[in-house]
Amino acid sequence: MTPDLGKLESSFSGRLLTSADDMQPFLTDWRRKWTGAAIAVAQPDTTDDVAAVMRWCHTHRVPVVPHGGNTGLSGAATPDASGESLVLSTARLKNIRKVDKANDTITVEAGVTLLDVQKAARAEERLFPLSLAAEGSCTIGGNLATNAGGVQVLRYGNARELCLGLEVVTCDGRIWDGLRGLRKDNSGYSLRDLFIGAEGTLGIITAAVLKLFPLPAAQVAAFAAVPTPAAAVELLQRCQAKLGASLTAFELVGQEGLALVEKHVSATRRPLDDESPWYVLIEVSDAESEEHARAAIEAVLMASFEDELISDAALSSSISQFNEMWALRENVSESQGAEGPTIKHDIAIPISGLAKFIEQAHRDIATRYPELRQVVFGHLGDGNLHYNLSPPAQSGNGGDKQDFAALEAPVNKLVHDLVVNYGGSISAEHGLGVLRRDEAQRYKASVELDIMRAIKSALDPFNLMNPGKVMS
Amino acid sequence: MTPDLGKLESSFSGRLLTSADDMQPFLTDWRRKWTGAAIAVAQPDTTDDVAAVMRWCHTHRVPVVPHGGNTGLSGAATPDASGESLVLSTARLKNIRKVDKANDTITVEAGVTLLDVQKAARAEERLFPLSLAAEGSCTIGGNLATNAGGVQVLRYGNARELCLGLEVVTCDGRIWDGLRGLRKDNSGYSLRDLFIGAEGTLGIITAAVLKLFPLPAAQVAAFAAVPTPAAAVELLQRCQAKLGASLTAFELVGQEGLALVEKHVSATRRPLDDESPWYVLIEVSDAESEEHARAAIEAVLMASFEDELISDAALSSSISQFNEMWALRENVSESQGAEGPTIKHDIAIPISGLAKFIEQAHRDIATRYPELRQVVFGHLGDGNLHYNLSPPAQSGNGGDKQDFAALEAPVNKLVHDLVVNYGGSISAEHGLGVLRRDEAQRYKASVELDIMRAIKSALDPFNLMNPGKVMS
């Protein structure tokens, strides 16, 4: 029996989308990997309206799929095929409620895009450091629900570390006002940290208090050629020792990835003449001046050149050069997509094991799947790699695509078995969603799964909050 | 019916203390504010032994009180008077399991003291930045169970932010191995963050992976006289803007507190000639050199002097001066104790409201309790104050002590009502234990308490884990 949508519509202010055309954008993820169905898409105007929607869902036992900017990579925001769920879109929760400059905090609603949070901070001469490729469309609610990472984690931490307080609507439509702007608060269990990263399976994040930081006086990027991942790790250690907290990013790109950027992105200029199997992008953010930043990174690079850790390096000398260097790194994923289908991995390894891991993964894949191209890049400073694979360059027609798709499961298993052997994570920053749910259940100890299930049952006894995501 | 302790004793390796003399140190907190009783004190040798003890307790429905260095200020580690609990001391979980220099992590067991963690890090030329007055005796297990704060939170965060992974024994004696040394891991609920700060009410922390940092090249302290708390907050903002991450501590001390240190601690040397109502202690940790650190802080102080934010300032020019300045701040609490009984508060306020809060609290207390001395000090950079009160200087005999003790509840209420009005926390870094349990329940919204209780029931259905702490 379909519950009465008319009653739902009159219970909250906002929009209720029910036609197939209106709902379509909410039923498929942006990579078009998953497609589902829903009884309706609700877009409540306020937190009270979210609560009203949740109460209706709770009364009628209608499952709810929270939906932010639809930029997730693990399928957590797409409903399943049953058509029984309601999609709850945070698109209209758009208010920046407060910027508290003296407290270095900003209070925003879940539907504000990451870019708009960054801009609001900048307008007050503050930095909100969370930064990732989808920042123009992803929302802060989704960033928190998935504990987003990105390129500044090395210095500022993940979304979790950038959040001081939350407002959350529970499965039965109650509002928890945990919007505290405090650096220290030990007055009970950290519910904030439980909702962060739970991918909407424990409650709906409707607003958050986020940390702000001083804007750096200057930023400089360096692009350096390194012979091996081991040399890159050694260079990272030197940068950490010499640059301290002004080291704000340390990214790795393999030659294979850089070549794809040069092929698919017009006007790409490689900053170094010679080819190298690996490159690193180093970002320095300085509280003093550009001169101070340049002197610090130049000293590290010079010594590392002498010790043959790097074979060549270039420093950005203008904002456009800075942006060009970053584009080399940020366009890898898109360029690989332009090349054809991709088998993606989002893994983290303790940094002490990273170089050996890359070596072994490279060898194992090359042995078992010699036709695959290994496009390895990522946030080396966090131990987080996107260890991605492309089919051979000459392929791309229908038949080959199917062969390639059939490789996804065994290649995932090869890579993830190795990750677990190295004490790593099979989902560093993208979350489990449905993509990694079953694998995570296979790798996790039963005691951890039991605790997670106990918490889920305690907070969502009817399994209405994004069911089937994170855990089956 | 008393359960069979013989069976318990043979079930694990370690020590089981049962005589009154042996148990005595575990039954009273170090301030002697709470005293309880226990059926025994168990000191297991390993995590497996902790699990064996927990299984026995679970089978016999014996409540367990985890016990670390016994330095807590909220009574969380002291059993109640029923005599039915077992105290589980982590004193023999003393191993430093691993220092992973390249990963900047250290893996330690719960009973290692904070000082020993710091020393082990330093031996590898790394910094473990958690730092607090009790560091010589408090244990890392207790630090994590209470999410300890201290003097470096401004730069490095609370214990929570310094922990990457945990090993925990559950109420029924299962071991969760969550000892991951990863900066990024989004593969499920953050159980780590749930156990941190839960004060032993959800499980026993037996080991942890902690973050390490580069040692600073130089540290400089400045001691500055400020006319008002508002000037101190303004100075903090300037330091944050100009010093960035090299600002590692920003502490406030009122004149009343400094006078007590001069009275009770021999060889105290005040670094400034003139008296001021307020002082701040600023610590700069520099990745480059002492000259660089001095130049940076001198520039801020000079400009602030010209703008009349500070009336005088001194910079440390040797390690002994650096330590002397810190001693002025760190001896306030002890000196106030030497003066007689103390009514303590451990509060946090958004920094934007801090100066007004101090002004209003000062006025309200002076109006209603003009005889009380207000000894205000704390971690201004985190918005965390120890807003403590002493009886009049001439008092101190038995009768007056009783009068003073009777003031504790109404003064707590006055201060904490005001804290909540300012959007603050009544327990910034000390935890709830039993000291703030009932107050927290009064101030917290029912939805938050309901979620906390649901989690507690889910993870500890028989209420055996430190019952009566955090929540009643």
Side-chain angles (χ1 to χ4, degrees):
Chain A
M1 197 190 79
T2 312
D4 182 356
L5 288 175
K7 271 209 169 162
L8 169 61
E9 191 160 21
S10 63
S11 75
F12 76 101
S13 119
R15 302 209 312 160
L16 189 71
L17 314 177
T18 53
S19 77
D21 277 2
D22 286 348
M23 290 202 291
Q24 190 276 329
F26 300 89
L27 305 180
T28 301
D29 75 298
W30 76 273
R31 283 179 74 205
R32 305 194 175 280
K33 205 170 162 74
W34 299 276
T35 297
I39 56 168
V41 175
Q43 293 187 322
D45 279 349
T46 66
T47 300
D48 282 336
D49 295 315
V50 173
V53 171
M54 292 306 299
R55 282 194 297 274
W56 182 88
C57 289
H58 190 255
T59 302
H60 299 285
R61 305 287 188 257
V62 172
V64 177
V65 180
H67 193 93
N70 203 30
T71 62
L73 291 165
S74 303
T78 306
D80 65 20
S82 71
E84 290 168 359
S85 305
L86 180 93
V87 172
L88 195 155
S89 157
T90 57
R92 293 166 74 90
L93 299 172
K94 280 290 209 200
N95 288 309
I96 292 177
R97 292 194 191 162
K98 186 177 169 185
V99 182
D100 185 342
K101 211 173 157 177
N103 196 43
D104 272 326
T105 50
I106 185 169
T107 307
V108 299
E109 294 183 353
V112 179
T113 65
L114 174 51
L115 187 64
D116 283 343
V117 179
Q118 292 169 352
K119 282 182 181 168
R122 196 167 283 267
E124 300 283 342
E125 294 178 311
R126 291 291 187 275
L127 173 73
F128 181 63
L130 189 66
S131 177
L132 44 96
E135 60 197 25
S137 31
C138 66
T139 61
I140 202 70
N143 293 149
L144 290 164
T146 59
N147 186 28
V151 295
Q152 303 276 296
V153 172
L154 177 62
R155 164 66 181 97
Y156 297 102
N158 297 284
R160 179 186 306 287
E161 283 83 36
L162 298 173
C163 178
L164 292 176
L166 287 181
E167 180 186 81
V168 172
V169 176
T170 62
C171 71
D172 53 351
R174 299 171 77 189
I175 299 167
W176 171 53
D177 179 356
L179 289 174
R180 296 162 196 154
L182 302 171
R183 262 78 183 171
K184 282 180 171 172
D185 177 24
N186 283 343
S187 63
Y189 302 159
S190 187
L191 304 186
R192 174 193 67 201
D193 286 299
L194 192 57
F195 290 115
I196 293 175
E199 303 184 33
T201 63
L202 299 177
I204 312 262
I205 294 171
T206 51
V209 183
L210 306 169
K211 285 187 205 169
L212 301 179
F213 293 82
L215 281 173
Q219 288 191 303
V220 173
F223 202 83
V226 291
T228 59
V233 169
E234 167 93 34
L235 182 61
L236 167 67
Q237 315 262 317
R238 290 182 177 206
C239 287
Q240 287 178 313
K242 296 293 180 190
L243 305 170
S246 58
L247 178 67
T248 44
F250 196 101
E251 301 280 313
L252 180 76
V253 187
Q255 165 56 27
E256 191 86 44
L258 197 67
L260 291 178
V261 175
E262 290 181 305
K263 176 174 171 190
H264 291 286
V265 181
S266 61
T268 292
R269 283 197 326 174
R270 177 194 287 259
L272 307 175
D273 293 334
D274 293 341
E275 215 170 79
S276 168
W278 298 96
Y279 305 91
V280 294
L281 172 64
I282 303 167
E283 184 188 82
V284 179
S285 302
D286 201 282
E288 280 175 53
S289 67
E290 183 160 339
E291 293 67 44
H292 189 250
R294 295 182 73 83
I297 182 67
E298 269 170 2
V300 177
L301 292 174
M302 203 70 82
S304 302
F305 182 78
E306 279 164 20
D307 297 342
E308 296 181 4
L309 279 184
I310 63 175
S311 58
D312 198 2
L315 240 66
S316 69
S317 58
S318 65
I319 290 177
S320 67
Q321 276 186 14
F322 178 87
N323 291 336
E324 274 171 26
M325 282 188 186
W326 265 111
L328 291 176
R329 160 64 188 85
E330 281 179 339
N331 284 323
V332 175
S333 182
E334 202 184 311
S335 302
Q336 198 184 6
E339 187 75 1
T342 308
I343 299 175
K344 287 177 187 275
H345 302 95
D346 165 41
I347 61 173
I349 303 282
I351 288 162
S352 48
L354 202 60
K356 272 203 167 166
F357 168 85
I358 295 175
E359 205 180 290
Q360 189 175 345
H362 205 278
R363 198 171 52 230
D364 290 0
I365 293 170
T367 305
R368 282 188 48 192
Y369 307 99
E371 73 281 17
L372 295 184
R373 285 183 288 166
Q374 304 193 26
V375 181
V376 181
F377 62 99
H379 317 294
L380 184 79
D382 316 317
N384 175 198
L385 294 179
H386 302 303
Y387 206 111
N388 293 353
L389 302 154
S390 288
Q394 67 278 16
S395 80
N397 62 50
D400 286 341
K401 258 192 193 170
Q402 287 211 333
D403 290 351
F404 184 72
L407 290 182
E408 180 154 4
V411 170
N412 283 171
K413 187 165 186 318
L414 184 156
V415 172
H416 290 160
D417 281 356
L418 200 58
V419 165
V420 170
N421 278 346
Y422 274 80
S425 169
I426 66 163
S427 184
E429 56 174 9
H430 295 167
L432 298 179
V434 291
L435 178 69
R436 299 287 176 233
R437 181 194 66 189
D438 296 342
E439 285 175 281
Q441 286 179 178
R442 187 152 50 80
Y443 290 115
K444 274 191 192 293
S446 63
V447 59
E448 182 164 345
L449 292 169
D450 288 348
I451 297 172
M452 284 173 59
R453 290 201 176 99
I455 292 167
K456 170 71 173 171
S457 302
L459 268 58
D460 180 23
F462 300 108
N463 194 24
L464 300 176
M465 298 299 314
N466 215 4
K469 313 295 167 57
V470 180
M471 287 177 293
S472 58
Chain B
M1 197 189 81
T2 312
D4 182 356
L5 289 176
K7 272 209 169 159
L8 169 61
E9 191 159 21
S10 62
S11 75
F12 75 103
S13 120
R15 301 210 312 159
L16 189 71
L17 314 176
T18 52
S19 77
D21 276 2
D22 286 347
M23 291 203 289
Q24 191 278 328
F26 300 89
L27 305 179
T28 301
D29 74 298
W30 75 274
R31 285 178 72 206
R32 306 194 175 280
K33 205 172 163 72
W34 298 276
T35 296
I39 57 168
V41 175
Q43 293 188 320
D45 278 349
T46 67
T47 300
D48 282 337
D49 295 315
V50 173
V53 172
M54 292 306 299
R55 282 195 296 274
W56 182 88
C57 289
H58 190 255
T59 303
H60 298 285
R61 303 287 187 259
V62 172
V64 177
V65 180
H67 193 93
N70 203 30
T71 62
L73 292 165
S74 304
T78 306
D80 66 20
S82 71
E84 291 169 358
S85 306
L86 179 95
V87 172
L88 195 154
S89 156
T90 58
R92 293 165 74 90
L93 300 172
K94 280 290 210 199
N95 288 309
I96 292 177
R97 292 194 191 162
K98 185 179 170 185
V99 182
D100 185 342
K101 211 173 158 177
N103 196 42
D104 272 325
T105 50
I106 185 169
T107 306
V108 299
E109 295 184 352
V112 178
T113 65
L114 174 51
L115 187 64
D116 283 342
V117 179
Q118 294 168 351
K119 282 182 183 169
R122 196 167 284 267
E124 299 284 344
E125 294 178 312
R126 291 291 187 272
L127 173 72
F128 181 63
L130 189 67
S131 176
L132 44 96
E135 60 198 25
S137 31
C138 65
T139 61
I140 203 69
N143 294 149
L144 290 166
T146 59
N147 186 27
V151 295
Q152 304 275 296
V153 173
L154 177 64
R155 164 67 181 96
Y156 297 101
N158 297 285
R160 178 185 306 288
E161 283 83 36
L162 298 173
C163 178
L164 292 175
L166 287 182
E167 179 186 80
V168 173
V169 175
T170 63
C171 71
D172 53 352
R174 300 171 76 189
I175 299 168
W176 171 53
D177 178 356
L179 289 174
R180 298 162 195 155
L182 302 170
R183 263 76 184 172
K184 282 180 171 173
D185 177 24
N186 283 343
S187 64
Y189 303 158
S190 187
L191 304 186
R192 172 195 67 202
D193 287 299
L194 192 57
F195 290 114
I196 292 174
E199 302 182 35
T201 64
L202 300 177
I204 312 263
I205 295 171
T206 50
V209 183
L210 306 169
K211 284 188 205 170
L212 301 178
F213 293 83
L215 281 173
Q219 289 192 302
V220 172
F223 203 84
V226 291
T228 60
V233 169
E234 167 94 33
L235 181 61
L236 168 67
Q237 314 263 316
R238 290 182 176 206
C239 287
Q240 287 178 313
K242 297 292 180 190
L243 305 171
S246 57
L247 178 68
T248 43
F250 195 101
E251 301 279 312
L252 181 76
V253 187
Q255 164 56 27
E256 191 86 45
L258 196 67
L260 292 179
V261 175
E262 290 181 305
K263 178 174 170 190
H264 291 286
V265 181
S266 62
T268 292
R269 284 197 326 174
R270 176 195 289 259
L272 307 174
D273 293 334
D274 294 341
E275 215 171 78
S276 168
W278 298 95
Y279 305 91
V280 294
L281 173 64
I282 304 167
E283 184 188 83
V284 180
S285 302
D286 201 282
E288 281 175 53
S289 66
E290 182 160 339
E291 294 65 44
H292 189 249
R294 295 182 73 84
I297 182 67
E298 269 170 3
V300 177
L301 292 174
M302 204 68 84
S304 302
F305 182 78
E306 279 165 20
D307 297 342
E308 296 180 5
L309 279 183
I310 64 175
S311 58
D312 198 2
L315 240 67
S316 70
S317 58
S318 66
I319 290 177
S320 67
Q321 276 186 13
F322 178 87
N323 292 336
E324 274 172 26
M325 283 188 187
W326 265 110
L328 291 175
R329 160 66 187 85
E330 282 180 336
N331 284 323
V332 176
S333 183
E334 201 185 311
S335 302
Q336 198 184 8
E339 188 75 1
T342 308
I343 299 175
K344 287 178 186 275
H345 302 94
D346 166 41
I347 61 174
I349 303 281
I351 287 160
S352 48
L354 201 61
K356 272 201 167 167
F357 169 85
I358 295 176
E359 205 179 291
Q360 189 174 347
H362 205 277
R363 199 171 51 231
D364 290 359
I365 293 169
T367 305
R368 282 185 50 190
Y369 306 99
E371 73 280 17
L372 294 184
R373 285 183 288 166
Q374 304 192 27
V375 181
V376 181
F377 61 99
H379 317 295
L380 185 80
D382 316 317
N384 175 199
L385 294 179
H386 301 303
Y387 205 111
N388 293 354
L389 301 153
S390 287
Q394 68 278 17
S395 79
N397 62 50
D400 286 340
K401 259 191 193 170
Q402 287 212 333
D403 290 350
F404 184 72
L407 290 181
E408 180 154 3
V411 170
N412 282 172
K413 187 165 186 317
L414 184 157
V415 172
H416 290 159
D417 281 356
L418 200 59
V419 164
V420 172
N421 278 346
Y422 275 79
S425 169
I426 66 163
S427 183
E429 56 175 8
H430 295 168
L432 298 178
V434 291
L435 179 69
R436 299 288 175 231
R437 180 193 66 187
D438 297 343
E439 285 175 280
Q441 288 179 178
R442 188 152 51 78
Y443 289 116
K444 276 192 191 292
S446 62
V447 59
E448 182 164 345
L449 292 169
D450 288 349
I451 298 172
M452 285 172 60
R453 289 201 177 100
I455 292 167
K456 170 72 173 171
S457 302
L459 268 58
D460 181 23
F462 301 108
N463 195 24
L464 300 176
M465 298 299 315
N466 216 2
K469 311 295 166 57
V470 180
M471 287 178 292
S472 58

